[in-house]
Amino acid sequence: MLSGKTLRLPICAISWALLTPCVLADGTYQFTIDSQNSALNSSISVTAPTTGTLIGNYDATTNPTGTRTKPGFFGSFGDTENVPVPVTVSLAVSGDNTTNPAGTFVLRLDTEGGVAGLTGLTLDLLGADVLAIAATANVNWSTFRTRNPTCIVFGGITIPIPLGQATVTTLTAAQGEDEAVGTLIPAGADSFTIAIPVTVEVTLAAAFLEQEIPPTPQSIPVVFVATVTLDAEGNASISAAIEGFEVSQEQEGPIGEPFNLPFTEPICQGNLIFTLQLQSLGTSTSLDATLIASGTKVPPAPTCPCDWDTSGAIGVPDIFAFLSSWFAMDAAADFDGSGSVAVPDIFAFLSCWFARPGNCV
C-alpha cells in the first residue's frame, strides 16, 4: 500500500503491449508532405469599395456617332454633350477553393515524457497553384437620357457586370526557430496522437483588377493535431489537421487609376463606358488543411567519447572531468571497455583526447 506518495509511470508503461513500439518511436523524424493526397480548403472573399460612373462612348474626334449620356428626365441636351451618370457599385466577390499544399517539418517524439515537439514547419498552402474566384460588380444608377439612340433609361435597375477574377497568388505558413511542444498519447500498438499549439507566420499576396495587395506576414496561432503511425522499419506516416484559421490583408485607397469597361445598356442598346475607381481593397481567407506526410527517423547526432564534460568541444576541462569520474570509480570511466575502472582507462582516454577521432572537434 502506498501512502503519501505519487506513483508516476512513463506513459508507455501503462500497457506492456505498447512498450516496444513506444521505445522504437522515440526520436526525431523528418517529414515531407504528400501534396497529391493533402488538401487545403479555403473560402475567400474580397471587399473593394468603389466609386463609378456611366458615360456614352461618344468622342467628337474618334467616335462622333457614338452614344451620349446626360443625367435626369428633362432639360436641354446639347449636340455634343456627353455627361457622366453617377452610379453606385457593390461587389460580389467570394468563393471556395481546394488546393494541394506542400512542405516539410520535423517531429520529435518522447514517449516517456508524453510530449511531441514540432520544428521547421514550412508550408506552401497553395502548392504552386492560385486561389481564383469570379468577381462581379452590381451597378445601380439614377435615371438618365441617351442620344444615339435617343432613349430614357430609368433608374433603380441593378445590372451585374463581370470584372474578371480575384486571385490569391501567395499563401505560405512558416514556424519560427523555437520548437513548439505539445502532448503525445499512445493510440494503438503502432500509433500515437499528438496535439501541438504552434504560432506560424502566414504570408498572403493577392490581386484584383490588376491591383496587387503586397504581402504582409501575420503571426497566427494554430493547433497541429495529428496521428502518427510507425511501420516495421521504424519509418512514420502522419495525418495532420490545421483547422479554422483566417488570414486577412488590406490595402487603403484610392488604388490605381480609374479604368474603363465596355458596357452595353440592355434596354436602349446604347454603347456606354463604365468607369470604376477602387477606394480600398481587402482580402479575407478562411482555411482548413489536411496534411498527409511520410517521415524517416533522423539518426541521433554522433557524440564524441572524449568530450567528457559534453561541452560540444574538446578541451583541457575534459581531462579533469574524466579524472574526477575515474577517481570516483564511476562505471562510465571504464573507457577501454575492459569491465573495470583501472589505469589503462586513463591512457585510453588521453589517446582519444589527443587524436580527436571521427566526430571529435
Side-chain angles (χ1 to χ4, degrees):
M1 178 176 178
L2 295 176
S3 176
K5 294 184 179 293
T6 300
L7 179 63
R8 298 181 65 86
L9 293 175
I11 191 167
C12 286
I14 295 173
S15 170
W16 287 106
L18 300 179
L19 181 57
T20 298
C22 278
V23 172
L24 294 175
D26 281 350
T28 301
Y29 297 80
Q30 173 70 55
F31 283 91
T32 300
I33 292 172
D34 179 355
S35 183
Q36 183 176 358
N37 292 309
S38 299
L40 173 75
N41 298 312
S42 59
S43 179
I44 178 175
S45 63
V46 176
T47 56
T50 64
T51 57
T53 60
L54 282 173
I55 191 170
N57 68 344
Y58 166 86
D59 184 275
T61 303
T62 61
N63 192 22
T65 60
T67 300
R68 295 183 290 118
T69 57
K70 188 170 184 177
F73 273 109
F74 307 106
S76 61
F77 203 138
D79 292 339
T80 60
E81 274 193 294
N82 191 29
V83 183
V85 179
V87 300
T88 59
V89 183
S90 62
L91 292 176
V93 187
S94 61
D96 299 328
N97 289 265
T98 299
T99 56
N100 302 106
T104 59
F105 58 91
V106 175
L107 196 62
R108 177 179 61 86
L109 303 182
D110 176 4
T111 56
E112 183 175 359
V115 299
L118 178 68
T119 54
L121 178 64
T122 303
L123 302 175
D124 176 0
L125 293 168
L126 300 183
D129 204 346
V130 297
L131 301 181
I133 55 174
T136 301
N138 295 311
V139 183
N140 194 294
W141 55 81
S142 301
T143 299
F144 64 94
R145 293 163 285 159
T146 67
R147 295 293 184 268
N148 293 331
T150 298
C151 189
I152 294 179
V153 181
F154 293 96
I157 300 173
T158 298
I159 300 295
I161 301 176
L163 295 180
Q165 288 186 327
T167 59
V168 175
T169 55
T170 299
L171 186 56
T172 60
Q175 181 184 2
E177 295 183 0
D178 295 337
E179 181 185 49
V181 178
T183 60
L184 177 150
I185 301 174
D190 58 357
S191 63
F192 306 86
T193 300
I194 62 173
I196 305 174
V198 58
T199 298
V200 293
E201 188 174 80
V202 179
T203 301
L204 179 149
F208 178 55
L209 297 176
E210 300 183 351
Q211 304 296 324
E212 294 186 356
I213 303 179
T216 303
Q218 305 167 53
S219 293
I220 298 178
V222 298
V223 179
F224 187 89
V225 179
T227 299
V228 183
T229 304
L230 302 180
D231 64 18
E233 286 73 37
N235 296 318
S237 59
I238 193 168
S239 175
I242 302 178
E243 299 181 348
F245 64 101
E246 294 189 356
V247 185
S248 60
Q249 190 75 295
E250 299 288 341
Q251 184 180 6
E252 297 299 328
I255 302 171
E257 297 297 326
F259 57 94
N260 298 329
L261 293 172
F263 177 56
T264 300
E265 201 288 309
I267 299 176
C268 297
Q269 301 300 309
N271 294 306
L272 310 176
I273 296 172
F274 172 41
T275 301
L276 180 67
Q277 170 72 68
L278 293 178
Q279 298 302 309
S280 65
L281 185 58
T283 301
S284 176
T285 306
S286 177
L287 307 163
D288 292 289
T290 300
L291 307 177
I292 306 298
S294 57
T296 56
K297 200 167 188 178
V298 179
T303 58
C304 175
C306 40
D307 177 18
W308 202 258
D309 64 359
T310 65
S311 66
I314 302 299
V316 172
D318 295 300
I319 298 176
F320 293 104
F322 176 78
L323 289 175
S324 293
S325 297
W326 189 88
F327 282 110
M329 299 302 289
D330 186 342
D334 178 18
F335 200 85
D336 63 0
S338 66
S340 62
V341 177
V343 171
D345 295 303
I346 297 177
F347 292 104
F349 175 81
L350 290 175
S351 294
C352 174
W353 191 90
F354 283 107
R356 306 289 203 272
N359 53 332
C360 295
V361 180

